[in-house]
């Protein structure tokens, strides 16, 4: 069974590692090619966009794909929409593997907002020194907040326009609680802005913010796709085994 995993996440790499070499599976992972030095999954890997829905349809046909697992980041909404449309067009099964979002606990001071524009609106009331970890794009909405200072953390250099007063920190998780505490302390952060990515690898900043009593502005996920969805790699494995047929588990 030819499996295409749309990747770029830890879960996608775990799924590729789990399926790679199993009898009956030929796995190809697809990476957008944005990150300069990507973490590579086991098995075949292809890089770069497909060329919208039409390009993905052509790729699926050419490579005789049997099933597609969209294990992209919860905020990679365009790739997910293309996967839904392309698999519908060629009548292939699609599974979405998407980790759960984060849930606030007692004492958390979270402000959920729908997007960056809404985050920029609430920020001035919450503090002056902002730790912004929402990825390297879409930062223009914060550019007009001249009174605030930003610590921007991203994997690759963020694209302008950037806030006027900012320091860019290039780093990739996982981040430890100790390191996140030290970072908030060193930069005298008042408020954290992040996306509801979910998962353990980048959750330490939320714990550190909680410990310090800092408010967190949390950008909501894009709407969930209309496709069968699981939240764990184990469930994705079970779905693939079912798709492969009896006796394959
Ligand atoms: P996006 O906005 O949903 O996608 C934009 C375009 O990039 C897609 O239309 C597609 O181009 C191409 N693309 C995206 N993911 C791809 C993949 N896995 N394989 C091949 N092409 C892909 O995506 P994004 O938010 O820029 O994220 C890009 C990649 O980084 C994703 O693989 C995602 O899992 C990973 N990632 C994203 C984030 C995030 O914050 N968004 C965080 C961690 C990892 P075509 O239309 O030409 O096919």
């Amino acid at each position: 069974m030819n499996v295409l995993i749309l990747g770029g996440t830890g879960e996608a790499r775990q799924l590729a590692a789990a399926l790679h070499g199993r009898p009956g599976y030929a796995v190809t992972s697809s990476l957008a090619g944005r990150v300069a030095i990507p973490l590579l999954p086991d098995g075949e890997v292809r890089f770069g966009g497909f060329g919208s829905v039409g390009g993905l349809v052509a790729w699926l046909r050419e490579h005789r794909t049997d099933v597609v697992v969209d294990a992209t980041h919860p905020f990679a909404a365009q790739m997910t929409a293309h996967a839904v449309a392309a698999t519908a067009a060629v009548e292939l099964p699609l599974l979405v593997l998407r980790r759960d979002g984060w849930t606030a606990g007692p004492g958390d001071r979270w402000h959920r907002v729908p997007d960056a524009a809404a985050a920029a609106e609430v920020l001035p009331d919450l503090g002056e020194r902002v730790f912004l970890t929402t990825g390297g794009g879409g930062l223009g909405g914060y550019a007009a907040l001249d009174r605030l200072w930003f610590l921007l953390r991203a994997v690759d250099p963020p694209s302008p326009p950037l806030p006027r007063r900012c320091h860019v920190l290039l780093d990739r998780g996982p981040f430890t609680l100790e390191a996140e505490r030290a970072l908030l302390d060193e930069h005298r952060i008042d408020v954290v802005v992040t996306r509801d990515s979910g998962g353990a690898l980048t959750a330490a900043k939320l714990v550190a913010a909680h410990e310090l009593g800092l408010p967190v502005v949390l950008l909501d996920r894009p709407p969930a796709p209309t496709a069968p969805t699981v939240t764990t790699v184990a469930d994705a494995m079970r779905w693939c085994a079912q798709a492969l047929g009896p006796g394959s588990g």
Side-chain angles (χ1 to χ4, degrees), residues 7-8 30-32 34 48-52 72-73 76-79 82 195:
S30 175
L31 300 180
R34 302 272 159 67
F50 295 93
S52 199
T72 55
H73 190 270
Q78 184 167 308
M79 187 68 250
H82 290 181
R195 297 172 303 179

Side-chain angles (χ1 to χ4, degrees), residues 60-195:
L60 295 173
R61 288 202 171 115
E62 188 187 332
H63 293 82
R64 299 177 182 283
T65 305
D66 296 302
V67 299
V68 179
V69 180
D70 171 20
T72 55
H73 190 270
F75 282 80
Q78 184 167 308
M79 187 68 250
T80 295
H82 290 181
V84 170
T87 51
V90 292
E91 297 184 1
L92 283 186
L94 167 69
L95 179 73
V96 176
L97 167 56
R98 191 127 311 162
R99 62 180 97 117
D100 280 329
W102 288 311
T103 311
D108 279 330
R109 297 174 58 200
W110 291 7
H111 301 257
R112 282 194 177 270
V113 293
D115 51 31
E121 239 178 84
V122 299
L123 266 181
D125 291 333
L126 296 174
E128 284 182 16
R129 297 181 67 81
V130 183
F131 180 29
L132 188 62
T133 68
T134 56
L139 301 175
Y142 304 99
L145 300 177
D146 279 353
R147 202 172 53 79
L148 309 190
W149 178 88
F150 289 83
L151 174 63
L152 299 182
R153 184 169 68 192
V155 175
D156 284 313
S159 344
L162 303 182
R164 193 172 59 83
R165 301 173 62 216
C166 74
H167 173 71
V168 175
L169 177 63
L170 298 182
D171 206 351
R172 168 155 60 190
F175 303 104
T176 66
L177 180 55
E178 290 69 28
E180 296 294 54
R181 265 193 211 120
L183 197 67
L184 296 182
D185 190 45
E186 178 193 345
H187 294 281
R188 293 177 287 113
I189 296 298
D190 301 318
V191 52
V192 175
V193 184
T194 191
R195 297 172 303 179

